Amino acid sequence: MKDSKVDFIYLSEKDMIEAGVKDMGGCVDAMEEMFKLLKVGDFRMGGSNGFSHGCMVTFPEESPFPNMPLDGPDRRFMAMPAYLGGKFDMAGAKWYGSNSNNREKGLPRSILMLTLNDKDTGAPVAHMSANVLSAYRTGAIPGVGVKYLAREDAKVCGIVGPGVMGKTALASFMAVRPTIETVKIKGRSQGSIDEFVKYVKEEFPTVKNIEVVADIESALKDADVVCLATSATLGNLDEYPYVKEEWVKPGAVICCPASARFDEDFIVNKSRTVVDCLHLYEAWAEEYPYPTFHTIPIPACYNMDLLHEGKIKKDDIHDLGDILMGTVPARRNDEEIIIYSVGGMPVEDIAWGTLVYRNALEKGIGTKLNLWEKPELA
């Protein structure tokens, strides 16, 4: 008789940390391997194009139903399924609930869970807290870009938006460019700035200078590596953080995991665009109406709009996977300015979640749960 028992493990946030989810060096390595698997096609994501970010539920501004949630800042639910092959060989889905008002309740804006599933049966093998996991994989993607695109002697880093995304991005920069000795911080609230300064002092003792600056221009001045990680109202381009060409140091890499805005001439003629995965932006261009940049405020979506208008060619947008595979050069010269867009994909969660799960199994971390001894309906 076949054994139809199904067990899986539950990993709390504390368990995830104990299992190594905050190992940024390991996370950067995992993301690099994930990009290579994307390039050879050993993966699947949702949507007819196989590159969908996920399926999102949004809410109306008004509803006749008294219990239905109404639209608000970052108020949504999203399912993000994927399969990733190679050494990961795992399927799963991240579930994403978000509401900016959570902060009034002492909760993070987004509350995330990741379920990993057996690729053949679909049975769960793990259900885990994913807030820290998601933050670290998000930060590691800029790190992979900086590893290949930034100057080897990078010394100055500018952080615009000293929140969680800014912290994990800096952690990845320090993992791949330990030469960084100055960190410049531009934030909106004194509380977030003070917390970020404390974070840098505690986590990166090799940083000699911490400078709090008043504006984006000052954060970019002399910076070799920059992370723009601030939120903005979708569709209101005037709110997207604006970077002027004259502010950018020749040879700098500007990482954009969130909203950012550049002049058209700077995008078309003065800088080089690199994206984490070109097909993701093509999928967004299919899923959202032109102009996509009004809905997805990541700079590469502006590139897709310029492509739609015939102002640039597809070959003008370089895919990081091609750089990792050696088919496109990394830095072409020491003076070129690179704008690196980061969109985020569920295969990233599968990659890092799988390695943390396996580490948890090896160390005996987590709570074993039973789905059934024998299915009631088989």
Side-chain angles (χ1 to χ4, degrees), residues 11 58 83 100 165 205 209 250 276 295 334 369:
L11 296 169
T58 57
Y83 164 78
S100 285
M165 199 181 299
N209 307 301
D276 48 351
T295 306
D334 286 342
L369 298 177

Side-chain angles (χ1 to χ4, degrees), residues 37 110 121 155 182 243 304 358:
L37 292 169
S110 302
T121 66
K155 289 184 172 57
T182 296
V243 174
M304 298 308 296
R358 289 173 181 166

Side-chain angles (χ1 to χ4, degrees), residues 50-261:
F51 276 93
S52 178
H53 184 76
C55 179
M56 184 163 63
V57 175
T58 57
F59 297 101
E61 293 182 2
E62 298 180 3
S63 172
F65 306 103
N67 292 331
M68 179 174 285
L70 299 181
D71 189 28
D74 289 313
R75 194 163 202 180
R76 58 185 178 268
F77 290 103
M78 180 180 285
M80 302 171 66
Y83 164 78
L84 185 63
K87 71 177 185 180
F88 305 100
D89 197 27
M90 185 70 74
K94 183 168 78 172
W95 178 249
Y96 182 118
S98 180
N99 187 345
S100 285
N101 292 335
N102 282 354
R103 293 191 177 96
E104 299 172 7
K105 301 176 182 179
L107 296 170
R109 182 201 68 186
S110 302
I111 298 176
L112 313 173
M113 297 297 295
L114 177 68
T115 299
L116 299 178
N117 301 85
D118 182 281
K119 67 173 183 179
D120 295 317
T121 66
V125 298
H127 188 55
M128 61 186 69
S129 171
N131 274 56
V132 178
L133 181 146
S134 187
Y136 269 72
R137 68 80 157 158
T138 299
I141 301 299
V144 178
V146 166
K147 177 179 178 179
Y148 283 85
L149 302 171
R151 291 171 57 116
E152 292 288 343
D153 60 352
K155 289 184 172 57
V156 180
C157 173
I159 300 291
V160 179
V164 172
M165 199 181 299
K167 287 179 180 177
T168 56
L170 176 62
S172 73
F173 298 160
M174 296 302 299
V176 300
R177 287 294 183 276
T179 52
I180 291 173
E181 56 186 29
T182 296
V183 175
K184 306 171 82 171
I185 306 162
K186 161 65 176 76
R188 292 174 179 167
S189 73
Q190 192 60 48
S192 64
I193 292 170
D194 291 343
E195 186 177 333
F196 199 89
V197 169
K198 180 182 178 183
Y199 169 77
V200 177
K201 288 180 177 179
E202 291 178 350
E203 298 293 329
F204 310 110
T206 57
V207 173
K208 299 176 182 177
N209 307 301
I210 302 173
E211 301 177 19
V212 176
V213 298
D215 49 43
I216 295 176
E217 178 180 0
S218 301
L220 268 76
K221 184 180 180 183
D222 299 325
D224 302 295
V225 176
V226 177
C227 178
L228 301 175
T230 62
S231 58
T233 302
L234 295 182
N236 187 350
L237 271 59
D238 290 338
E239 281 195 17
Y240 295 7
Y242 171 66
V243 174
K244 202 170 183 179
E245 178 186 343
E246 300 92 272
W247 302 346
V248 184
K249 177 182 178 180
V253 175
I254 305 174
C255 298
C256 303
S259 57
R261 179 167 56 93

Side-chain angles (χ1 to χ4, degrees), residues 286-309:
E286 290 178 11
E287 294 170 6
Y288 295 99
Y290 166 84
T292 308
F293 191 48
H294 286 67
T295 306
I296 309 292
I298 299 170
C301 289
Y302 181 51
N303 287 75
M304 298 308 296
D305 292 340
L306 293 174
L307 182 63
H308 177 89
E309 296 166 4

